[in-house]
Every structure is written in C-alpha cells, then in structure tokens.
Amino acid sequence: MPKNTATRIGSSTDGGRSQAPRESAPQYADVAVPVHVNLIFTYRLTESMRDVAQVGARVMVPLGRKLTTGYVVGLRDNLKPSSSLVESEIKEVAELLDLEPVVTPEVLQITRWVSDYYASPWGEVIKAALPPGISAGVERFLSITPKGKEELSNLRTTTIKARLLALIANSGELTFRAAANTLGQKQAGHAARELEREGLIRILQRQSGSAVKEKIQRAVRLRSSIPLDNAGGDRKPTTAQCRIIDTLNAAEGAMSIKQLLTAADVSESAIKTLQKRGVVEFFDQPVRRDPLATAVMPQAHAHELTAAQLSILREIERPLAQKSYATFLLHGVTGSGKTEVYLRAMRTVLELGRSAMMLVPEIALTPIFSRRLRTEFGDQVAIFHSSLSKGERFDEWTRVKNGAARIVIGTRSAVFAPINDLGLVIVDEEHESTYRQQDSPYYNGRDAAIVRAQKESAVVVLGSATPSLESFHNARTGKYQYLQLPDRIANRPMASARIIDMREVFARYGKPRVFSDELLTAIEETNNRGEQAIILLNRRGYSSFVLCRSCGESIHCPNCDVTLTYHRSERVIVCHYCNHRQAAPSLCPNCSGKYIYYVGEGTEQLEEMLREIFPALRLARIDRDTTSRRSLFEKSLFDFSEGKLDMLVGTQMLAKGHDFPNVTLVGVVSVDAGLQLPDFRAAERTFQLITQVAGRAGRGDRPGQVLIQTYHPDHYALRHACAQDYQGFYDEEIRYRQNHSYPPFVALATLLVHGPDLKRIRATALTLRRELDLANRDRACRILGPAPAPLSRLKGEHRIQLFLKSRSRRQLRKLIDTAVAAVIGSGHNPRTINVEIDPISIM
C-alpha cells in the first residue's frame, strides 16, 4: 500500500456536497476503499475518465498488488500544496464502473458522518450502504506467455509448476480459483508467483462480472401499426392466433411469453407465426423481483383517531409543513395506537410531495408492517432487510433511487436508502439494541437516522413503550420533544402481571422445573377458552451446552471461548457466534464416556416439551433459526394471526410490534440469564423485554395476563415491569447510572485488539494503553484495561479490550485518534484494532 497516495479522512474531500461547475476536467479522484483502514486514497484519472467521472461513482483501483472496488468521494484538479503525495507515484484508476453515480449525495453525506463519528472506515460504510452484490468482484486470471509455451515440454510433469502450466495451456486462460481447487490454495499461489517471475505466465486481474443486475425476460407485444387483416395477404388468422391477440389486447398490448402461453392456451409456434407476419414482436422486458409478489395483503380499515392520537399527529405535522428538522419521542404504552399515528404522518408527508422512511428493529416485524404499508400506499413502498435475496434487494434499492418508491421500510441498513427528498423518519421500538451494528463498520441505525433527518430538514419520530434511558433523558432535558400516549385504544386495561418465584417451585418438587404449575394451568385454561398464548425464552436451540457426567467436561467451540449449543432437530451442536457446526456426540470427545448430558433449555426444547404436555395444541416456534427460512417464518406469523395456531414459542423476536387481539396469556419462562449479564444495561434490557412482551397480551376485547418465572423475584426491573411503571424504573435506574458514571452522563468507547497471535495482540494492547496514558495528561478520560474481553476468543481470534469513559465526547475522540495513530505509526497492524464509539454492550 503506497503511503504517499493515502490521506487520513478529514478535510480533503467534500463528503458528497454539491460541487461548483467544472471549469476544467478533474485530474485526480479521492477514493474510499472498503478496507479496515480509515484512509482515503488519491488516484489519477485517465484522459477518457476526466470528463465523465462523478462523485459517488464506483471505480476499480489498484491497492497494493490487487485491484479492488472503490468509491469516488471527491474530484480535484490538482494536488493540494500541503499534500505529501508525489505525482510520479500516484497510480491510475483502472476502470470507471459507473457513468451515473450509485451513491447519492445524501447517502455520501450520511456515510461520511457515520465514518467520522464512529471511527469506521468510510469505504466500509459506503459498501454497507449499497445492496449486496451491486459491486462486482475482482478475479485473478492466469494466461501462458509464448516463453511459457516453449518451456512447457521441458518441465517435469510431476512438479506443481509443470502441472499448473499445463492446466493454463489447456484452458487458454485459467482463473486462480480453478487452479487452487485443483492444486490447493498455497501450492497454486506459490507456483503461480514463481512462473510469473520466470516470465512463463501472466497474472491478470479483471472484474468477475458477478454483480447483481436487472432481471430480464422475453416478452411479446402487438405491433399496432400493422392491422391483422392486412398482415400475411389473404390468410385469415387461426383461432389460436385470435386468442393471442385478444389476450394481448386485454393486457394492454404486452405480456411475457410464459404468461401469454398460459393465458391464451397456445403453443409458441402460434406466436412465432404472428411474429413472422409482423403482427407481434419480441422484446426484452425488465422483471421486478418483488418480495411481496405472493403475499396476501390485509384489508384496509379506516380507523378514527382518538383525541390523544389526533393531538400528537398535529404536533408532528407542524414541522412537516414547515419542512424543518425536529425530533419527537413518542412514548406510548403497548396497544396505544402508535402505528396509526405513523401511517397518518406518512400520508401527510406524501401529500407534501416528500418521502418517508420507517426503521424497525427486527426482520420479524417487516412482514407485518410491509403488508400494512403496501395496503395503504401500494407500490410506493420498498422493503430493505437481509432476508431478501440479492436480486430483490437490488430491485427495491433501484426503485427507491429512481423515485418509483417513496416509502422505505426496513432494518437498520435502510437508513442508507437512496431516497429522494426525505421528509419523515420513523424509528419504531427505538430502544432496541438491534439498531446497533455489532461488527465493522460500527454504527447505530437510530442515531444515524436522526442525523440524516437533521441534514435533510426532515422530522424524526422515535416510538417506544419503553424508551431507552438516553432518549428519555434527552426528552427530559429538552433535546427531543416529548409526546405521550398513556392509555390503550378504547381504554382497554393493561394485562395483569404476576411473578412466579421459582425458588418455591424448586422447594416444592426438590428439583428444577422448566414450567411452574401456575403456567401450565394458565396454558390449559387459555386453550380451553379458545384464546391464544405466547411463551418466551430468550435462548434458542435445544440445550445451552453439552456436558459429560463422567469427566465433567463441556464441549467448546474450537474457534470461540463459548460452549456449543445443541440443536436437536438437526442433531448438531452449534456455535451461535461463528456458526461452527458439528455432529452431536454419542461419546465424550475427552474421555470417551457415554454419559452425555444436555444442560439448560432453549426454545427448541420448550417447543418439544409443550407438544408432549399438550398434544392437541397447535404451536410454532419463532427464533433466529426459523427466520433463516423466510417462507416458514412468515407463514407461522400469519397462521397465528388468523387463529390457525394456538401458541407461539420464541425468543425476544415475539416481544415487540406484533398485534394479536386473541392473545390473552404471555408466559416468560426465565429472565434470569439476562439479569445476571456483566453489563450496565442488563436491568434496562430486562425491564424492556418484560414490558414489551407483556404488551402482547390483552390487546383485544378480553383481558390478558402475564406470568414471569424467576429466581430473583425482588429485582427492581421485574417489579417495575410488572407494574408497567416506566417512570418508576427510570427514576431508579438513572440514579444508578449517575452514581456509577454511565451513559447518558458520560461517553463510552471500547478499543478491541484482536488477532490469531496472542503474543502480538498483547503487545499491541500494551502499546495502545501506553499511548492513551501519554495523550491523557489532563486526566479527562478514565481508561480501564487492557484485559481479556468477556469473550476472550471469537472466530479463531484472541480478544483484548480497553474501556474508556469521559464526560467530554470531544476529548474522548481526540484521545483515541491520537493514541491509535501513534500505535499504527509504530508499526502495529491497524486491522487488529477496532474502535467502538457508544457501545451498547461491554460484552
């Protein structure tokens, strides 16, 4: 990586702001590349690129010895006088991939902010903002030279070099991937480098052409300029040909060949005959890959707003009409009608000619909301989330970019949607930790949405029944405008909640029990009344870990410092961090003992136990394992909403956003694991989970009840959750945060040093601590560590963590930037250091 072509992200680019009209063609492009280095690189534009290159376009650029896809973030006529770049060493852009930019100015601006605020590499953020597969990869190709052809017969065919040269000669041109599959990765790489040095082969890098593209289908249309009666002389059309023409007329003149064959009940030869006579013509027709193509839409219902809803809507509409920025915290209890307020606000913003965005925390919520929005707003709705196919995501992104869709709904990455004239941003369940990206590039979708709205003069509505402590604090201090819906629609009562002390259950039976008698009785009574139930356990799989009762050993992941979870349906044990999978053992791998014991319960085991206890019960499971199979997951949700299922068993995915009027019972099997996590937000998350899942009960005309099983019945988070007392919990929790210097009273950051070589990362972590101490002379920040991270080994890498607190965010960032730059300058690998600003977890 040539140092003289790189500059640290700062004032060297305009970050997507509009540029002045060009007086002369730019000579250079500043390019962000998706590598884990917070730098931008300057490249020379070729003559042919200078008049057409634009900010936001993708380019292929050399980085080290490889070509990679980068993003133009700035254009310049000359090098800055203060720059250390040397003209003769600046490399040229290899290829300009776009004549029209794929990254809009608004997206470039918000990705730049994310990069600056979260210390995330700008290229990685831009890549995350684009649909997967839009950027073609780069592949190495091996071709033989004339000298190589001469030498081929002289080499011994038993050597790796000779075998590789023969493979290339036989293929004409061979991909390195194919060579590695045949000869092995290391052997092929070593042999290819030797052959290249000897001049026997050339190694070329080219675009692989694997990018997702528009889907095309063959179609037929009428040629209106040629009357049928005059086509083909005296020959009269056959009955089949008449059906073709009638079918095309009914379809406004055009259909895909496949649809026409079915609808007209004809053969392809009849269509080709009409094509020869000039009556119809074939053409290529774009096909939209619609994620809701086969979905059944709910019926639209006109709801009359309550006085409270109407008052809140008027408050939101005021800055919408003025096209000014405002952030509202909408604090509404579960079932209070927040969704209807969202829909009315969206309708208002569309009427004003602007666009809207709605973020939801889980993929589990998108099927319900997206169908509701499609019913209300038709094809103006686009969907963004990771369960869509690459083709579906590309098509939805394209519809948003070209203005065909003006409402976006999706998970956190939807904040980067290339939406035009953004007027409204809704962040539903704003408190959820899933808005935080947990690996590089780090960002919080909620906070990025607020900043994007601010930059585009849009209105933000943060909705929740259990706002995060930080958001509620911002509302209390006047940073956000506070709106409240304290009552359920039609004044329906909140579900009654009761804590079941599992210590008493243990004393009663002399052993642990998964289900208390009270919960089993409540399930039976609920089912007998024809009502529905939700059972929650925030732990998936069948058993938490596998234990040998002979030697006491548990089976750990070979890549991570965690035990493997047993999944009985597949007969495998799985790591929920790196997805390592292996067959469930019949003998202990440590002592060969046969007494294998599966410890703890997960949602899969709960499902099995409930089926045994209540064989007539119709139930389904909802967790991350089932969401990976999108059709099955969506079918379970809709079957439950239509009364075809009696019970859902699942994780926290069931706790929010769903509106099932016939649910009158919610059972929480255990909350103790979450309460005992070594994290300052453990109590807050537990309170939110219990309050949210309790809100699924009693949303219809019948009262609901919530039963919470725990070994810690006196914990304040559970007491306040049972009472649905947010204010009481906030008052108690905020005192704890202030006394112990946690957010919202301080800014936090974690520095994670990771890598396969423990000795090296220890050295890097110690150097980092030393540089932090040197830069922290005024003691404006508190520095803890280095120490092993709570998960000290993950995905094959050791992890050491430093933890920083400061009452000044500016000083915190200055300290981190200074120390990290010094560590990198002293020769340590920058890719081994992850900086996380505002971490939502210290795990």
Side-chain angles (χ1 to χ4, degrees):
M1 186 182 301
K3 292 182 181 178
N4 59 342
T5 66
T7 55
R8 197 159 294 281
I9 291 178
S11 59
S12 57
T13 70
D14 68 359
R17 293 185 293 274
S18 59
Q19 298 181 359
R22 298 178 183 174
E23 295 180 0
S24 61
Q27 307 291 306
Y28 305 97
D30 291 326
V31 179
V33 292
V35 295
H36 195 64
V37 179
N38 214 11
L39 301 171
I40 55 172
F41 298 85
T42 299
Y43 292 88
R44 186 185 304 108
L45 292 166
T46 64
E47 288 282 350
S48 61
M49 297 176 189
R50 290 173 184 173
D51 289 327
V52 293
Q54 296 187 59
V55 171
R58 294 169 301 153
V59 288
M60 300 292 292
V61 292
L63 189 67
R65 296 186 61 189
K66 296 181 180 180
L67 285 178
T68 188
T69 301
Y71 312 97
V72 178
V73 296
L75 295 169
R76 62 174 81 246
D77 297 334
N78 46 53
L79 301 178
K80 289 190 174 184
S82 60
S83 173
S84 61
L85 303 183
V86 179
E87 166 67 31
S88 61
E89 297 186 6
I90 295 178
K91 297 183 178 182
E92 281 192 344
V93 173
E95 187 176 354
L96 178 65
L97 298 178
D98 305 303
L99 293 179
E100 180 183 344
V102 296
V103 187
T104 65
E106 295 82 7
V107 173
L108 204 60
Q109 194 175 42
I110 188 61
T111 55
R112 174 62 183 271
W113 177 84
V114 167
S115 172
D116 286 346
Y117 184 87
Y118 292 103
S120 293
W122 195 1
E124 286 191 352
V125 181
I126 295 175
K127 183 179 180 181
L130 296 174
I134 190 175
S135 296
V138 179
E139 191 151 24
R140 283 183 288 172
F141 291 84
L142 313 178
S143 65
I144 193 166
T145 63
K147 182 181 177 182
K149 290 178 181 178
E150 293 176 7
E151 288 290 321
L152 184 61
S153 58
N154 298 330
L155 293 175
R156 288 188 294 112
T157 56
T158 54
T159 66
I160 295 291
K161 285 170 57 178
R163 289 170 62 193
L164 177 57
L165 198 59
L167 280 172
I168 299 169
N170 291 335
S171 302
E173 191 173 72
L174 187 71
T175 65
F176 180 77
R177 187 183 307 171
N181 289 340
T182 304
L183 303 174
Q185 183 84 18
K186 288 185 178 179
Q187 293 91 330
H190 181 70
R193 286 190 293 273
E194 283 197 9
L195 290 171
E196 184 187 32
R197 277 198 299 270
E198 295 168 12
L200 305 182
I201 68 169
R202 284 190 296 269
I203 301 178
L204 310 171
Q205 296 185 80
R206 289 203 301 271
Q207 193 174 324
S208 65
S210 60
V212 176
K213 297 177 182 177
E214 186 178 58
K215 185 178 180 181
I216 299 295
Q217 67 179 2
R218 292 287 285 165
V220 185
R221 64 186 166 208
L222 288 170
R223 294 184 64 191
S224 57
S225 59
I226 301 180
L228 177 62
D229 292 340
N230 297 335
D234 297 330
R235 287 175 293 173
K236 293 184 177 180
T238 65
T239 304
Q241 292 170 351
C242 287
R243 286 203 304 272
I244 292 170
I245 294 162
D246 290 342
T247 304
L248 287 173
N249 275 322
E252 300 182 352
M255 291 181 77
S256 72
I257 292 176
K258 186 176 180 181
Q259 290 173 325
L260 181 57
L261 292 173
T262 303
D265 191 21
V266 295
S267 65
E268 194 166 344
S269 62
I271 303 174
K272 288 181 177 177
T273 301
L274 286 177
Q275 187 246 349
K276 290 176 183 177
R277 294 175 64 185
V279 178
V280 301
E281 63 182 354
F282 296 110
F283 69 102
D284 288 335
Q285 183 182 60
V287 181
R288 177 186 167 195
R289 290 159 286 202
D290 183 2
L292 296 181
T294 59
V296 178
M297 298 300 158
Q299 290 185 343
H301 296 288
H303 296 278
E304 185 174 345
L305 295 185
T306 65
Q309 287 175 312
L310 196 58
S311 174
I312 283 172
L313 183 61
R314 294 290 175 262
E315 288 291 322
I316 295 170
E317 287 178 336
R318 190 172 296 115
L320 282 177
Q322 298 168 353
K323 294 190 175 182
S324 61
Y325 163 73
T327 297
F328 295 95
L329 176 62
L330 176 53
H331 183 188
V333 298
T334 54
S336 60
K338 295 187 293 294
T339 301
E340 195 62 33
V341 173
Y342 299 158
L343 293 173
R344 299 297 180 96
M346 286 182 185
R347 189 168 296 283
T348 298
V349 84
L350 290 184
E351 290 170 355
L352 292 170
R354 305 187 77 187
S355 302
M357 174 189 296
M358 181 175 182
L359 302 186
V360 293
E362 296 273 8
I363 291 172
L365 299 181
T366 51
I368 303 293
F369 278 126
S370 57
R371 284 164 171 78
R372 179 78 186 275
L373 290 176
R374 182 67 67 84
T375 298
E376 295 282 341
F377 304 111
D379 278 345
Q380 293 189 90
V381 177
I383 304 165
F384 280 51
H385 64 73
S386 60
S387 279
L388 303 184
S389 69
K390 287 184 178 180
E392 288 172 335
R393 294 183 75 177
F394 177 81
D395 287 357
E396 295 294 271
W397 177 86
T398 302
R399 290 198 315 118
V400 173
K401 188 172 184 294
N402 64 27
R406 294 171 56 203
I407 293 178
V408 170
I409 178 172
T411 48
R412 61 176 174 263
S413 61
V415 74
F416 300 120
I419 198 163
N420 298 312
D421 197 8
L422 183 64
L424 175 68
V425 180
I426 294 164
V427 185
D428 191 39
E429 310 294 355
E430 65 82 26
H431 63 277
E432 281 294 331
S433 61
T434 46
Y435 282 120
R436 177 72 187 208
Q437 174 78 10
Q438 295 286 9
D439 48 23
S440 186
Y442 297 104
Y443 67 94
N444 189 305
R446 176 198 63 196
D447 297 344
I450 293 171
V451 173
R452 181 169 183 182
Q454 188 177 29
K455 292 178 180 297
E456 299 185 41
S457 299
V459 172
V460 185
V461 180
L462 308 176
S464 178
T466 55
S468 65
L469 266 286
E470 290 87 345
S471 291
F472 195 75
H473 182 75
N474 285 338
R476 290 279 290 264
T477 56
K479 187 175 181 179
Y480 300 161
Q481 299 180 51
Y482 183 68
L483 304 173
Q484 189 175 20
L485 287 171
D487 302 309
R488 281 185 162 182
I489 295 293
N491 290 318
R492 295 188 183 107
M494 302 297 291
S496 62
R498 181 158 60 100
I499 291 176
I500 298 173
D501 189 345
M502 295 304 286
R503 297 173 301 181
E504 295 179 0
V505 175
F506 180 86
R508 191 185 312 154
Y509 289 95
K511 61 180 180 180
R513 300 267 292 186
V514 176
F515 300 109
S516 62
D517 294 336
E518 293 90 336
L519 181 54
L520 292 177
T521 301
I523 292 172
E524 185 174 16
E525 291 174 349
T526 300
N527 189 48
N528 290 340
R529 293 193 301 267
E531 298 164 359
Q532 293 172 299
I534 290 175
I535 304 297
L536 180 136
L537 174 64
N538 206 19
R539 186 167 56 240
R540 62 192 175 106
Y542 188 87
S543 294
S544 304
F545 63 95
V546 183
L547 178 72
C548 173
R549 288 189 285 189
S550 296
C551 67
E553 286 292 317
S554 55
I555 301 178
H556 282 71
C557 174
N559 308 314
C560 309
D561 188 24
V562 295
T563 55
L564 297 175
T565 301
Y566 178 45
H567 288 247
R568 187 169 180 176
S569 60
E570 301 175 75
R571 299 287 176 182
V572 294
I573 46 179
V574 179
C575 174
H576 287 169
Y577 289 91
C578 73
N579 203 35
H580 168 80
R581 306 166 77 87
Q582 64 188 65
S586 55
L587 298 175
C588 173
N590 183 57
C591 72
S592 300
K594 61 181 180 180
Y595 299 106
I596 299 294
Y597 183 53
Y598 297 99
V599 181
E601 301 82 29
T603 50
E604 191 179 335
Q605 186 173 168
L606 253 62
E607 178 189 16
E608 180 182 284
M609 294 173 70
L610 287 166
R611 288 188 188 279
E612 290 177 359
I613 299 169
F614 303 104
L617 207 63
R618 301 169 299 171
L619 61 89
R621 175 167 50 92
I622 300 288
D623 54 28
R624 194 171 298 174
D625 298 319
T626 60
T627 57
S628 63
R629 293 164 291 184
R630 193 172 107 201
S631 58
L632 176 62
F633 158 68
E634 292 183 1
K635 183 178 185 301
S636 296
L637 283 178
F638 285 103
D639 283 352
F640 189 68
S641 67
E642 293 174 3
K644 296 177 182 177
L645 294 172
D646 303 313
M647 178 184 288
L648 288 180
V649 178
T651 58
Q652 49 85 26
M653 288 182 172
L654 292 175
K656 52 209 171 259
H658 302 294
D659 187 5
F660 302 121
N662 197 38
V663 171
T664 59
L665 172 66
V666 168
V668 182
V669 171
S670 176
V671 296
D672 298 325
L675 274 177
Q676 301 307 311
L677 289 175
D679 194 311
F680 72 93
R681 285 192 171 95
E684 180 185 10
R685 291 200 183 106
T686 301
F687 171 82
Q688 290 166 342
L689 179 65
I690 298 301
T691 305
Q692 291 282 344
V693 77
R696 301 314 108 201
R699 297 172 75 94
D701 297 327
R702 307 173 191 179
Q705 64 170 326
V706 184
L707 301 180
I708 304 162
Q709 298 184 166
T710 178
Y711 285 91
H712 300 87
D714 299 321
H715 196 285
Y716 69 95
L718 300 183
R719 284 191 289 103
H720 290 302
C722 284
Q724 297 280 310
D725 180 12
Y726 179 87
Q727 186 66 54
F729 172 77
Y730 173 83
D731 291 341
E732 197 160 345
E733 180 70 7
I734 204 73
R735 285 195 298 272
Y736 164 78
R737 299 281 185 93
Q738 190 165 21
N739 291 338
H740 292 83
S741 295
Y742 283 121
F745 301 102
V746 298
L748 297 184
T750 57
L751 301 180
L752 182 72
V753 186
H754 60 96
D757 188 328
L758 182 58
K759 185 176 179 180
R760 284 188 179 182
I761 70 163
R762 276 178 178 159
T764 301
L766 290 170
T767 305
L768 188 55
R769 175 62 198 247
R770 184 171 63 251
E771 295 295 341
L772 286 168
D773 287 336
L774 287 173
N776 191 35
R777 291 189 180 92
D778 57 0
R779 298 292 183 265
C781 300
R782 186 181 179 195
I783 306 168
L784 303 173
L791 289 172
S792 60
R793 189 163 172 267
L794 197 64
K795 299 179 182 179
E797 293 189 327
H798 300 281
R799 293 153 42 96
I800 295 175
Q801 185 172 276
L802 293 98
F803 192 56
L804 288 77
K805 291 181 179 182
S806 178
R807 296 191 180 276
S808 168
R809 185 177 300 279
R810 184 183 298 274
Q811 288 180 297
L812 178 71
R813 276 305 304 275
K814 183 179 178 181
L815 172 66
I816 292 171
D817 292 344
T818 301
V820 170
V823 171
I824 294 172
S826 64
H828 292 271
N829 186 351
R831 293 177 178 83
T832 64
I833 303 171
N834 281 359
V835 178
E836 190 171 0
I837 306 298
D838 298 342
I840 54 133
S841 172
I842 58 174
M843 291 291 288

